[in-house]
Amino acid sequence: MATEILMPALSPTMEEGTLAKWNVKEGDSVSAGDVIAEIETDKATMEFEAADEGIVGKILVAEGSEGVKVNTPIAVLVEEGESADEAAASVEKAHASTHEQGAGHPAPAKVADEAGPGGQAPAPSVPDDPEIPEGTKMREMTVREALRDAMAEEMRADENVFLMGEEVAEYQGAYKVSQGLLDEFGPKRVVDTPITEHGFTGLATGAAMGGLRPIVEFMTFNFAMQAMDQIINTAAKTRYMSGGQMSVPVVFRGASGAAARVAAQHSQDYAAWYAHIPGLHVAMPYSAADAKGLLKTAIRGDTPVIFLENELLYGHSFEVPELDDYAIPFGKARIWREGNDVTLVSFGIGMEYTLKAAEKLAEDGVSAEVIDLRTLRPMDTAAVIKSVKKTNRCVTVEEGWPVGSIGNHISAVLMQEAFDWLDAPVINVTGKDVPMPYAANLEKHALTSVEEVLEAVKQVTYR
Amino acid sequence: MAKGKTNTEDYLRMYRQMVRIRTFEDNANQLYLSAKMPGLTHMYSGEEAVAVGICEALTDNDRITSTHRGHGHCVAKGAEFKEMFCELLGKEEGYCRGKGGSMHIADQSHGNLGANAIVGGSMGIATGSALRAKLQGADDVTVCFFGDGATAQGLLYEVMNMAALWNLPVIYACENNGYSEYTKTEEIAAGSITARAEAFGIEAFRIDGQDVLAVNELTQKLVARCRNGEGPFFIELETYRYHGHHVGDINREYYRSKEEEKDWKQNRDPIVRFRSWLVDQGIASEEEIEAMNAEIEKDATEAVAYAEAAKYPDAAEVDMHVYAD
């Protein structure tokens, strides 16, 4: 089937670039690894390779185009005998409303506990969200900016809040999340550490036990495995072990999950790992608004929080309410689309696949309800159960590994608490059970896909 | 014996605190051997001068972190027998409401940030506590107790690096009792222990950990220098554990001879040495010391009886204190 070729990112912070040159034209055959285009930013030029073999069916963005947003489809690759125009049309259509980051993401329908009886309401453009008063002005911003704003607002409000981690101060974060913080708050509150995860995680935990509120940035959560003992044995367990004498108000935040072409040691999804641990709270936001609101809540709380961000989402733009104090409670899912035929449950970057799949399903007359869990511990299973009692079918979507996954847990909860309402087994769409490969085509296969979500929905709806 | 402070009350308090630790451990040992106390426990007996010499140089506002062999640190930092025995027996009135047990006693009221039963696990907390003091502009000092075995943990080097870079008010107190679990220290630690700290530019000292006055005098100086922004420091304290690694470690002749144990007990016992010094200096008479010992023994017996009769936590407490909010 046709696959789209997306505008690549040359660096973690790149949001757009120039498609300087096409080395192929429509109708050309390409193999994985062929240099098909040249991409430029003000800093660098990159040769862009094909990830799959196929025929260039359609070029969607002409060479010389400037300001092309990262992840915008720039061409369509088709298989031998496939109609280029039809394939291109269907890909374009599917992307029309959900894909271009620059054009903004769809807004959520409602938060879960306010969800009405449903219907086939398409995603409204202004969220009907009780956390946001009517008439609130919305501002488009990236997840990166939203995270920075959350930290800055909480640091202004409470002098006990400080940020520490590798390259967070002078360099402003490996993914530029802490931009401007050193200037505003100075080196005492924005602390550059050596590359010493076990060490600075311990320091933050000790500082938190004494009343400060550290935010620890892990450059990525892959490196936090070095610090696992301090996170689990100390931060998560101290309050319980001490019979409530001491709390550990610390936030551990950073990128988790696959980025692009960084292979096995830099691509792990930690959602299920941390969600397993009593004593931790775990958030994994998708939108910029949720990233901001949840991070503010995380910083204020007295429980240690694992805050799982995603490198690919940092540059995505969403509408964020312009409110003085937008904090979102943990343990409340957000419903992005209401529907009757199937419940799709996801979180974090899994929402990308899920929302795209829901859009395609709508075109085929299947009304999917899309639930973004937002926090994994506590987890709003009540919202999922409520939805499944309406739709009678459920598919979970995540990028993490299949064994002991978040989807497995949701399936078990539904078995116990909504068994009589289920008309089909719950299917967990996950990443593949392999370390992340490097080659682009293999990486693509190791991740999940919109097609897999669609196939799972087909199965649970017996179509 | 080194000359220390001239305040008689301070000397007597140091003696009293050392005897309290020994007495606590003797009673805890009995509770374990008579099957009244479950789990795993590690005796501090023999190392009393380390905890007392150091903690007597601290105020309640100064912090410590402790280890799996932590009863001594806890007593020395000011904890009460009753709450400690209750904790050992898993009772509701224990310092941690029976949720921590022997290896996890914390006593916030006296600045004891808790025993960490992962070897080396508290080094980050202690250094973080010192970072907290520095960021707050507070003048308290944190002492990190750990054993020779913990010098094999990488965390020590990670946190000493940052403590030295940032001049943090922390004192690393390495209790070298000659054995890392069931193995001689020289078989697990290459090179010099103090040189490890010196490599980071941290001033390091090696001292007789059985001499409470020497330990106290050095610690007082280092605490004052820490308060003055001159930290961190490292002390290796040469000491000895009278019991095995844990209470059940009875047949230990294959790694440690009875003659060696006898020699330390007869010739280097910190309590015996300090007691004879007190008498020689005319600070206390034999009768006064015996009376003090008897009073402490009575306190312990009563605390054990109280703890044995005390109630267990309510079953509803099982999921309390997991989350703060």
Side-chain angles (χ1 to χ4, degrees):
Chain A
M1 69 182 281
T3 52
E4 66 243 32
I5 297 172
L6 306 180
M7 179 72 173
L10 273 62
S11 72
T13 51
M14 174 176 161
E15 284 164 20
E16 59 177 42
T18 300
L19 205 171
K21 187 176 169 224
W22 278 110
N23 294 339
V24 293
K25 57 184 189 304
E26 290 179 4
D28 284 0
S29 290
V30 296
S31 305
D34 287 354
V35 176
I36 56 171
E38 285 177 17
I39 309 295
E40 279 179 16
T41 66
D42 53 348
K43 294 191 187 105
T45 303
M46 183 178 77
E47 291 185 332
F48 181 38
E49 296 175 4
D52 283 322
E53 62 173 16
I55 296 160
V56 180
K58 182 104 182 161
I59 284 176
L60 303 171
V61 176
E63 71 178 24
S65 300
E66 292 178 7
V68 182
K69 303 280 184 193
V70 167
N71 285 345
T72 305
I74 54 175
V76 180
L77 211 56
V78 295
E79 287 171 13
E80 192 73 49
E82 204 174 358
S83 157
D85 281 336
E86 267 176 43
S90 74
V91 168
E92 277 182 274
K93 197 174 171 193
H95 280 284
S97 57
T98 59
H99 205 92
E100 295 86 1
Q101 276 73 41
H105 283 63
K110 289 182 174 185
V111 298
D113 59 348
E114 293 296 312
Q120 289 204 28
S125 57
V126 178
D128 176 11
D129 184 341
E131 287 150 11
I132 305 170
E134 217 171 300
T136 301
K137 274 175 73 179
M138 303 298 278
R139 199 181 127 211
E140 191 168 302
M141 67 168 73
T142 61
V143 171
R144 175 181 292 116
E145 292 165 333
L147 291 166
R148 189 266 321 278
D149 285 0
M151 290 192 284
E153 286 176 20
E154 293 308 301
M155 287 174 80
R156 279 173 212 134
D158 181 353
E159 62 176 15
N160 287 320
V161 180
F162 72 103
L163 173 68
M164 68 191 296
E166 293 158 15
E167 312 291 356
V168 296
E170 300 281 348
Y171 190 73
Q172 311 198 85
Y175 299 105
K176 303 292 174 209
V177 174
S178 51
Q179 282 183 92
L181 296 184
L182 177 65
D183 281 349
E184 181 173 354
F185 300 102
K188 261 183 101 169
R189 295 182 67 196
V190 186
V191 182
D192 274 330
T193 68
I195 306 166
T196 186
E197 281 80 9
H198 197 188
F200 66 68
T201 301
L203 260 66
T205 303
M209 285 162 68
L212 292 184
R213 297 184 166 275
I215 305 166
V216 172
E217 175 173 308
F218 289 121
M219 194 174 276
T220 82
F221 263 93
N222 297 285
F223 315 141
M225 277 203 279
Q226 304 271 6
M228 217 39 126
D229 173 66
Q230 296 290 300
I231 297 173
I232 312 295
N233 268 322
T234 303
K237 296 180 185 172
T238 287
R239 185 174 166 79
Y240 193 79
M241 288 198 304
S242 70
Q245 286 184 76
M246 283 175 283
S247 294
V248 186
V250 58
V251 177
F252 300 109
R253 51 155 289 269
S256 163
R261 311 291 309 278
V262 288
Q265 292 183 335
H266 280 59
S267 301
Q268 195 165 329
D269 181 311
Y270 288 91
W273 276 50
Y274 290 109
H276 183 63
I277 310 296
L280 295 178
H281 278 161
V282 182
M284 188 155 161
Y286 165 57
S287 75
D290 288 346
K292 182 176 181 185
L294 290 170
L295 184 54
K296 282 169 70 77
T297 301
I299 294 167
R300 285 177 200 180
D302 284 334
T303 295
V305 177
I306 302 291
F307 202 89
L308 301 169
E309 300 159 8
N310 186 284
E311 184 182 326
L312 300 177
L313 291 178
Y314 281 140
H316 287 207
S317 294
F318 295 82
E319 302 260 283
V320 176
E322 287 194 325
L323 292 170
D324 288 343
D325 193 15
Y326 182 56
I328 298 173
F330 276 40
K332 267 188 164 180
R334 188 188 279 286
I335 294 178
W336 283 75
R337 291 178 71 107
E338 292 177 344
N340 292 319
D341 298 333
V342 60
T343 300
L344 305 181
V345 183
S346 190
F347 50 92
I349 196 164
M351 287 296 297
E352 288 267 297
Y353 306 101
T354 308
L355 288 170
K356 284 178 202 167
E359 191 75 22
K360 286 193 177 179
L361 288 167
E363 289 167 18
D364 297 342
V366 177
S367 145
E369 182 141 299
V370 177
I371 298 180
D372 177 357
L373 291 172
R374 303 199 291 189
T375 63
L376 304 174
R377 184 179 266 276
M379 188 189 286
D380 192 357
T381 50
V384 178
I385 292 165
K386 187 175 173 188
S387 174
V388 167
K389 285 182 177 176
K390 176 176 65 172
T391 65
N392 312 111
R393 297 149 211 280
C394 182
V395 170
T396 66
V397 184
E398 65 197 293
E399 274 196 349
W401 286 320
V403 180
S405 63
I406 298 293
N408 286 174
H409 175 66
I410 290 169
S411 305
V413 170
L414 291 174
M415 282 271 279
Q416 289 176 29
E417 299 186 37
F419 187 77
D420 290 340
W421 282 269
L422 283 171
D423 285 347
V426 178
I427 294 182
N428 303 142
V429 175
T430 66
K432 305 302 175 293
D433 203 10
V434 297
M436 189 60 65
Y438 170 68
N441 60 330
L442 297 183
E443 181 184 66
K444 204 174 145 209
H445 287 302
L447 292 166
T448 185
S449 65
V450 176
E451 287 71 30
E452 285 177 356
V453 180
L454 294 173
E455 179 56 35
V457 171
K458 215 167 151 186
Q459 283 187 45
V460 300
T461 53
Y462 303 113
R463 280 166 190 258
Chain B
M1 185 151 297
K3 273 274 177 189
K5 294 182 287 186
T6 51
N7 190 321
T8 300
E9 272 182 30
D10 290 341
Y11 294 140
L12 291 176
R13 185 175 153 82
M14 277 191 240
Y15 177 80
R16 189 182 150 76
Q17 286 290 70
M18 288 202 291
V19 175
R20 286 184 77 232
I21 293 172
R22 182 74 56 89
T23 309
F24 183 89
E25 294 297 53
D26 288 347
N27 279 273
N29 196 36
Q30 275 312 309
L31 282 171
Y32 192 89
L33 295 178
S34 59
K36 287 177 182 162
M37 180 178 156
L40 193 55
T41 192
H42 309 78
M43 296 286 105
Y44 196 75
S45 310
E47 306 186 14
E48 293 88 351
V50 174
V52 172
I54 288 175
C55 289
E56 284 300 301
L58 304 175
T59 68
D60 261 1
N61 198 35
D62 293 316
R63 319 292 161 94
I64 65 163
T65 62
S66 170
T67 69
H68 58 285
R69 196 178 305 289
H71 303 163
H73 310 133
C74 195
V75 171
K77 199 70 176 66
E80 300 294 338
F81 278 177
K82 214 158 81 175
E83 285 86 345
M84 284 184 72
F85 280 120
C86 278
E87 191 58 41
L88 259 53
L89 296 182
K91 301 300 178 75
E92 186 187 85
E93 285 179 69
Y95 273 108
C96 308
R97 302 188 67 78
K99 283 181 171 145
S102 164
M103 291 188 283
H104 299 296
I105 308 185
D107 172 17
Q108 268 287 63
S109 58
H110 294 101
N112 178 357
L113 297 177
N116 194 309
I118 303 299
V119 171
S122 71
M123 294 158 169
I125 298 163
T127 312
S129 171
L131 174 66
R132 185 265 316 144
K134 178 156 183 172
L135 292 178
Q136 287 180 330
D139 78 341
D140 62 277
V141 172
T142 304
V143 174
C144 177
F145 287 104
F146 57 97
D148 47 281
T151 63
Q153 290 283 13
L155 183 59
L156 176 62
Y157 307 97
E158 298 198 21
V159 299
M160 284 201 301
N161 182 43
M162 284 182 280
L165 281 171
W166 301 337
N167 286 109
L168 300 182
V170 56
I171 297 172
Y172 298 101
C174 176
E175 306 178 302
N176 185 349
N177 61 24
Y179 293 87
S180 164
E181 296 183 340
Y182 319 103
T183 305
K184 280 188 194 302
T185 304
E186 65 228 40
E187 292 172 34
I188 60 100
S192 144
I193 284 180
T194 48
R196 288 157 161 74
E198 285 160 355
F200 294 97
I202 296 175
E203 219 176 307
F205 303 83
R206 190 156 193 272
I207 190 171
D208 178 3
Q210 306 305 86
D211 181 345
V212 70
L213 290 181
V215 173
N216 184 253
E217 192 178 49
L218 175 64
T219 311
Q220 285 196 42
K221 280 181 194 158
L222 300 184
V223 167
R225 289 179 63 191
C226 271
R227 296 203 208 285
N228 200 30
E230 294 174 52
F233 296 103
F234 187 102
I235 316 175
E236 179 187 355
L237 302 114
E238 207 187 334
T239 186
Y240 201 75
R241 63 166 208 235
Y242 286 176
H243 294 261
H245 168 54
H246 58 88
V247 170
D249 176 20
I250 306 291
N251 300 316
R252 51 184 181 265
E253 272 186 276
Y254 78 95
Y255 72 83
R256 196 168 91 166
S257 73
K258 287 208 161 122
E259 290 70 41
E260 182 188 290
E261 292 182 6
K262 203 171 144 193
D263 179 50
W264 277 85
K265 286 180 187 174
Q266 285 188 347
N267 302 315
R268 298 186 68 177
D269 183 84
I271 296 175
V272 171
R273 281 170 80 183
F274 193 50
R275 173 181 173 146
S276 57
W277 185 82
L278 288 174
V279 174
D280 286 351
Q281 298 291 313
I283 293 165
S285 67
E286 289 286 355
E287 293 72 30
E288 284 166 333
I289 286 175
E290 283 303 324
M292 207 189 307
N293 291 355
E295 187 200 331
I296 293 167
E297 186 59 53
K298 183 166 165 279
D299 278 357
T301 308
E302 284 171 7
V304 168
Y306 183 90
E308 284 185 294
K311 82 185 261 291
Y312 287 103
D314 194 90
E317 284 217 25
V318 70
D319 60 356
M320 266 171 71
H321 307 123
V322 180
Y323 292 103
D325 36 40

